[in-house]
Amino acid sequence: MYRPVVISSDDMADEEASVRLLPGLPSYESRDKKAPEGGWSMRNTAFLASLVLNLMFIAMLVAVFGLSWMTPNSHTPAAPQWNDALQAAELAASKWCSGNGNVFVDTLGFNADGSGDCECNDCFTGPDCSISVPDCIADADAGDPLLFEAYWRENADLGTTVIPGWYRMSYRPQDGATTLYTDGFMAAIKDLHALVGNAVTEGRYIVAGTGSMQLINAVVHSLALQDEGRVTPVVAKAPFYNAYSLQTEYLESPLYKFAGEPDRLTGNPNGKGGQIELIASPNNPSFQMQEVTQNVTGPVVYDHAYYWPHLTPITKTMDSDIMLFTLSKITGHAGSRVGWVIMKDFDLFQKVTWYTMINTIGVSHDAQARATQLMRTVIRSYSKGDPGKKGIFHYGQKELQSRWARLQDIFKNSSRFSLQELKPGYCNFFKKVSDPSPGYAWIHCNHEEDVDCQAVMLSGGITGRPGSEFGSSDRYVRLALLKRQSSFENLVAHLEKLVAQT
Amino acid sequence: MYRPVVISSDDMADEEASVRLLPGLPSYESRDKKAPEGGWSMRNTAFLASLVLNLMFIAMLVAVFGLSWMTPNSHTPAAPQWNDALQAAELAASKWCSGNGNVFVDTLGFNADGSGDCECNDCFTGPDCSISVPDCIADADAGDPLLFEAYWRENADLGTTVIPGWYRMSYRPQDGATTLYTDGFMAAIKDLHALVGNAVTEGRYIVAGTGSMQLINAVVHSLALQDEGRVTPVVAKAPFYNAYSLQTEYLESPLYKFAGEPDRLTGNPNGKGGQIELIASPNNPSFQMQEVTQNVTGPVVYDHAYYWPHLTPITKTMDSDIMLFTLSKITGHAGSRVGWVIMKDFDLFQKVTWYTMINTIGVSHDAQARATQLMRTVIRSYSKGDPGKKGIFHYGQKELQSRWARLQDIFKNSSRFSLQELKPGYCNFFKKVSDPSPGYAWIHCNHEEDVDCQAVMLSGGITGRPGSEFGSSDRYVRLALLKRQSSFENLVAHLEKLVAQT
């Protein structure tokens, strides 16, 4: 295990000077010749020990610094001097926040001397986040994947991204590049899919986006462009991820229009394009696998954000025409804004690429760099050369299985509330039958008077997302299970109370 | 100056062990008592010197490692073990690419042992980029700010961004955040504007974007939403940055429509909103300052991408209703995709924020982290506590002034070509009159037969962007002056030849 150490080059200069000024050492032979009275004395032993110690120190210096100080005209450029940034980052990272907060170099009030308050997690407060906020609401609205934060903290030697000042400054990833992405980034995406076996990438076209959020509209817009001369309906079967309708309606266009439920019976007899169907599998919010099998007269966009082994069993290698993925739900880095879409059609690939060019000139190279580092870390942790290192899929699955089991326990005797039904399934990645490990609870309020399940939750000090946002009834509410352990514990405490009330 | 050094903690353990195993040293008193024959001997001197050296080494170790190995139960968590990522980054950065290429950790073929080819800059090739490509076309089409790459390489100890694995993973920058941005990022933007004095931020609302590219449409869309019930015309006075028309037309909407030239005479009598005018100042492509003063019946969006001291004199602190800025043209980090817009109207701020939420759920936290580090570096280099450090504005201005002077020299006797006229001006930042330092040459082909100036340039081995893309005539062509020194030298060589032909 290595620990980066700071040594002032001033110190080093002193050492070099002192080594060179070392007085001539008596040789072994001369010491023998001048045998002191009484033979080998304590002083001789001490002297020898001291010399040996010095030799060890020198050897250590040479091993560390090399002999470069001996060869003045070396063509190799010196390693960059990054200590400034490194020290600041280490100082921030070593701040104690009671296990319930963070300090980063860009934390407000963080100073070079290490002073400054922590940024506290939900329901904690105080300069070092040691104070629990009493009666803190359990916020389970957003699918914020913070449960992975602990994983990356525990594996601090992995996943750190060091970005030099001159890293990929151009609009293009490098001179002469024909795509918007770094080679390492694209390779990591393909390698990750190959490791997990959840999607075909060989012979496919991949466009990255600032989150899969950007790509949803990029794909819709591009598909609609391929369907010239009509307003292409965009559909999704309820319950569906609320962004599908929200985004499609907000970024309104003469090319397409959100049209609610898919037309399964007639397909869509008007025009050749049919409907653009958006479908998540596993579904958000219910986490049930789904696919479009009947009356397909138009393109189907599969959103596989949650099709990773910690969240759902990998039952087959998906090979649909259009498949969306996001880093957010793989490693938990929702804030990095990295997603991608895998496509078979080259014309669609060109159009989706152009959309991202016009919208944002591609994806931040910094985000690509970070995503590459994180994905490589995941891949490496599952490589044969790294035995025993617990990978993120094991970590996440264990945690989410435990959470789901606890939820089932809470609701098992409740007639007032129902959880969605999920069955265990064989996972090709874990090579065994896996219990469910969903990211969301999709709860139904059964009592006649509980028409607004979100309000019922709120009465119990829990915020969830109402069913109507997903195109369903407000008797449904979605609770996110992806947050930190402290958030989940708070959620469980509130749920137990709420369920017990009945 | 500090140099990060790797010392194996195994080595350290050995040192600790050897220190503890050091045989008891004879005291000074005992040495005096056993005075050897002949008084103070050479051996004594050597012994003393050796002991002094021991003490110096030990002091060095203590200064570096501290006494933490002496206090077993420390509550401070250990500094993170980031050596893996750091070593890889350093190895990549120290690869020799003949000064005409780069290696990063995500370079294709870069291996842990340091092997692998360089990524070569335009017009260079070979594993170490030492081979010049003969007759290499001078690509001056895109305004790629690569001239700053050398600055960041020279200042390798600045601007490095170290991002821990658990950095800001949430969709929100931190728990409880009410905006999409980190505090440090917003503070750096305001501090930078305060340092330069180019725009008012006090009491203003700021939205960041994935490049100012994203924000152009975000602002247009939001302004059109404020102008309900009509198709709001979007206008720009030629020559204008081609993205204004390209983007507005591509992301077509029932809310707005690109309508070409602004209507100055009548304003726009239809409806209350008038026209949304997009105007860059300094202008892209001509780098002339411009403002809208007459017949303003609608909102004006000022694009101040180039309003920084290295590119143009800072004549006043801008305080318009809507002002766009981008990191790309400040530090040169076009690939990071960071821009922002400063606004006075709170409703507009809310709408623009919502657009970026719907489009991309904000800006990558990794990009914010990098931008913060880079902006802080710029600010710090101009702080009183950092005298003598050449700041990026000095660096950039000097380089661009030199380039412009050379261009003027090339074209001064040419009747075939004209450069745009730019005058020196007093700069509030440099506190002196500054010669022009534009990022683009906006060249006019004067000969009757030269109707297509881009083609004329191409005949001389130069790629430029045609005037028609900027809403002007094809007798104009824009040449970018912002690239690396090697690119500019190549451009100059080709231009000299072309001009000499006439």
Side-chain angles (χ1 to χ4, degrees), chain B residues 158-174:
Chain B
L158 309 170
T160 300
T161 312
V162 177
I163 308 182
W166 66 93
Y167 174 81
R168 304 196 186 284
M169 297 171 63
S170 166
Y171 286 106
R172 300 176 288 174
Q174 64 187 85

Side-chain angles (χ1 to χ4, degrees), chain B residues 274-482:
Chain B
Q275 57 200 358
I276 299 168
E277 181 157 358
L278 302 170
I279 180 167
S281 186
N283 195 17
N284 172 2
S286 68
F287 253 80
Q288 280 147 349
M289 295 297 291
Q290 44 180 10
E291 52 180 321
V292 181
T293 49
Q294 344 139 257
N295 290 319
V296 178
T297 57
V300 178
V301 181
Y302 278 98
D303 185 349
H304 287 311
Y306 302 94
Y307 194 56
W308 294 93
H310 39 11
L311 291 159
T312 197
I314 303 303
T315 52
K316 63 176 183 172
T317 308
M318 299 301 188
D319 190 19
S320 304
D321 291 349
I322 306 162
M323 303 187 285
L324 291 166
F325 290 91
T326 172
L327 187 75
S328 307
K329 304 304 193 296
I330 307 171
T331 64
H333 291 80
S336 288
R337 315 311 305 122
V338 173
W340 57 89
V341 57
I342 303 170
M343 293 166 288
K344 292 181 181 174
D345 179 26
F346 182 66
D347 180 68
L348 186 66
F349 162 70
Q350 287 184 305
K351 287 178 160 62
V352 175
T353 300
W354 185 241
Y355 181 105
T356 65
M357 268 295 295
I358 284 282
N359 184 197
T360 56
I361 315 181
V363 177
S364 168
H365 297 166
D366 311 322
Q368 292 188 40
R370 185 123 189 267
T372 304
Q373 186 71 18
L374 296 165
M375 288 191 282
R376 283 178 172 180
T377 300
V378 173
I379 292 159
R380 197 165 19 135
S381 73
Y382 283 103
S383 71
K384 289 195 169 56
D386 210 353
K389 245 310 186 229
K390 279 289 175 209
I392 202 170
F393 297 129
H394 286 76
Y395 177 92
Q397 190 198 49
K398 183 170 172 221
E399 184 56 42
L400 289 164
Q401 277 173 341
S402 155
R403 294 182 182 197
W404 185 245
R406 289 182 72 182
L407 276 197
Q408 289 189 295
D409 202 56
I410 292 170
F411 287 106
K412 68 176 182 251
N413 292 323
S414 168
S415 62
R416 189 178 185 191
F417 305 104
S418 305
L419 269 181
Q420 80 265 38
E421 239 197 68
L422 294 166
K423 296 182 174 42
Y426 185 83
C427 176
N428 294 337
F429 178 78
F430 288 113
K431 295 194 173 12
K432 61 176 186 175
V433 174
S434 296
D435 283 333
S437 53
Y440 302 112
W442 180 235
I443 294 169
H444 187 264
C445 277
N446 301 322
H447 285 186
E448 202 181 318
E449 64 276 19
D450 291 341
V451 288
D452 185 344
C453 211
Q454 182 197 33
V456 174
M457 286 293 146
L458 202 54
S459 75
I462 301 162
T463 54
R465 196 166 289 185
S468 54
E469 286 200 26
F470 299 91
S472 262
S473 129
D474 275 337
R475 282 194 173 277
Y476 284 99
V477 68
R478 185 194 81 172
L479 300 184
L481 310 176
L482 294 162

Side-chain angles (χ1 to χ4, degrees), chain B residues 227-242:
Chain B
D227 186 33
E228 279 188 79
R230 60 190 281 266
V231 181
T232 314
V234 180
V235 298
K237 180 165 150 301
F240 56 80
Y241 177 35
N242 56 324

Side-chain angles (χ1 to χ4, degrees), chain A residues 396-455:
Chain A
Q397 190 197 50
K398 184 170 173 221
E399 184 57 40
L400 289 164
Q401 277 174 341
S402 155
R403 293 183 181 193
W404 187 245
R406 288 181 73 182
L407 276 196
Q408 290 189 296
D409 202 55
I410 291 170
F411 287 105
K412 67 176 182 252
N413 293 323
S414 168
S415 62
R416 190 178 184 190
F417 304 104
S418 305
L419 268 181
Q420 80 266 39
E421 239 197 70
L422 294 168
K423 295 183 172 45
Y426 184 84
C427 176
N428 293 338
F429 179 77
F430 288 112
K431 295 196 175 8
K432 59 177 188 176
V433 175
S434 295
D435 283 332
S437 52
Y440 301 112
W442 180 235
I443 295 169
H444 188 263
C445 277
N446 303 322
H447 284 186
E448 200 182 321
E449 66 274 18
D450 291 341
V451 288
D452 185 343
C453 212
Q454 182 196 33

